[in-house]
Amino acid sequence: MIGTWLTRAAAALLCTISLIAQAQGTYPDRPIKLVVPWGAGGGTDAVARMLAALLEKDLGKPVNVVNVTGGSGVMGHQTIATAPPDGYTIGLITTEIVMIHHQGLTKITGQSFTPLGLVNVDPAAVQVRADAPYKSLGELIAAIKASPGKLKASGTARGGSWHLSLYGLLKDAGIDPATVPWVPSVSNNAALLDLVAGGVDIVSGSHPEARSLVDAGKIRSLAIMDAQPSKLMPSVPTAKAAIGSDWVSGVWRGLAAPKGLPKPVEERLVGATRKAWESAEFKQFMEGRGFGLVWKGPKEFGEFLAKSDAEAGALMKATGLTR
């Protein structure tokens, strides 16, 4: 028993010594894995790949994006949180990290990570097919009230960010969210394609991700869940202007690493992340696609995670999405 304990203690000590030695040496000295908890082709994947390219320039080593999907974002977030805290596994965590533990899907929370930097916040929007009979959010709300359970919605996994955005809007409009069945999707992009194909009737999701299909005349954006109209599509009304709802919602994305990262490695990654965010290439990429540019450093990002977790938990409980 004592021998086993000593063996484990020695292994832990060696691991700590190894991490300290590595931190004092040249970091990085091998490729870095950047985990994305969502499928390829979506907004999170696109932002991650741009960041990876810019980080690679600064760090001088390959930064390889790996999509780890499944479990409403659990698999990817868990892969990041449980990796060795050595700086060679980082990830683009998303809004879902403050939601999935409230559903009983995982024990990891925002506190399971070393926050490196919040890089983006996007408001939610409501999309329907271009040939749908609803020309406004008011008409869609009326249709939902007239035929409870008939219209299906999608946008992300059950209990994910876009799910919560739509349910919050419906609740604010006096509609039982349960009357709009939710069809889980691996990404907002996949949900939009399902919308075009007729698999679902409504998609709650990112304005930027919907842009190409809106421009192609395949779908119509009815409203944006923000205090101000979108610069990307200024003709789309806010929920307040459309139906008098004060509900605002959206998603965020930020770089993080496992908890316990050695300070020198953390400082190197934070500096590289900030440099990437401030670069002309990143800003042009984000603005060109309508993604919102927001920066919060490690301390502010950590505080943001805690506040967002409390708010998400309260709303999920009120809408019956907790376990």
Side-chain angles (χ1 to χ4, degrees):
M1 188 76 166
I2 293 175
T4 301
W5 181 86
L6 288 172
T7 300
R8 289 176 179 172
L13 179 60
L14 286 172
C15 181
T16 301
I17 292 172
S18 175
L19 288 173
I20 292 172
Q22 182 187 70
Q24 291 174 340
T26 302
Y27 170 83
D29 61 8
R30 63 180 189 270
I32 295 168
K33 179 167 67 177
L34 197 165
V35 176
V36 178
W38 304 102
T44 301
D45 180 67
V47 173
R49 290 181 187 278
M50 173 52 81
L51 282 172
L54 295 169
L55 288 172
E56 190 169 299
K57 286 182 183 179
D58 186 34
L59 297 173
K61 295 293 178 182
V63 179
N64 304 311
V65 173
V66 178
N67 299 89
V68 181
T69 63
S72 301
V74 171
M75 297 302 294
H77 284 101
Q78 206 154 274
T79 297
I80 303 163
T82 59
D86 56 10
Y88 290 97
T89 298
I90 60 177
L92 195 62
I93 65 174
T94 62
T95 317
E96 284 74 14
I97 193 57
V98 302
M99 302 175 183
I100 49 182
H101 71 97
H102 290 296
Q103 297 174 277
L105 299 176
T106 181
K107 291 184 178 180
I108 63 170
T109 70
Q111 307 310 307
S112 304
F113 301 88
T114 298
L116 301 175
L118 180 73
V119 300
N120 157 249
V121 177
D122 288 327
V126 179
Q127 275 84 227
V128 296
R129 280 188 304 280
D131 61 358
Y134 338 106
K135 307 300 182 187
S136 68
L137 181 59
E139 290 180 4
L140 177 62
I141 294 295
I144 293 170
K145 288 181 176 178
S147 303
K150 179 182 178 181
L151 301 181
K152 296 180 293 183
S154 187
T156 186
R158 178 173 173 76
S161 53
W162 302 127
H163 189 184
L164 200 59
S165 293
L166 182 64
Y167 269 31
L169 178 66
L170 294 173
K171 188 173 182 294
D172 193 60
I175 296 174
D176 178 0
T179 62
V180 180
W182 187 263
V183 179
S185 179
V186 296
S187 70
N188 196 235
N189 184 61
L192 288 167
L193 294 176
D194 196 21
L195 175 66
V196 173
V200 294
D201 307 287
I202 307 164
V203 164
S204 167
S206 166
H207 225 35
E209 288 183 70
R211 182 182 183 179
S212 61
L213 290 173
V214 170
D215 290 346
K218 300 290 186 181
I219 66 173
R220 181 187 306 122
S221 251
L222 298 183
I224 188 169
M225 302 178 209
D226 203 6
Q228 302 294 329
S230 166
K231 292 181 179 178
L232 187 65
M233 289 184 260
S235 62
V236 176
T238 62
K240 176 76 170 180
I243 60 171
S245 173
D246 289 315
W247 175 252
V248 296
S249 184
V251 297
W252 53 262
R253 302 174 177 101
L255 274 176
K259 197 173 184 66
L261 204 62
K263 202 63 182 177
V265 174
E266 178 185 347
E267 290 173 351
R268 181 73 176 97
L269 283 170
V270 169
T273 302
R274 181 68 188 257
K275 184 177 178 180
W277 186 87
E278 290 178 338
S279 70
E281 297 100 312
F282 188 68
K283 291 186 175 179
Q284 288 170 4
F285 169 83
M286 297 294 279
E287 290 170 358
R289 287 158 179 77
F291 291 129
L293 277 163
V294 174
W295 171 261
K296 288 184 185 295
K299 182 175 182 296
E300 295 78 12
F301 189 14
E303 293 169 349
F304 175 84
L305 281 167
K307 181 173 182 289
S308 298
D309 190 284
E311 292 173 347
L315 179 58
M316 292 179 75
K317 184 177 181 180
T319 52
L321 289 173
T322 56
R323 290 182 185 175

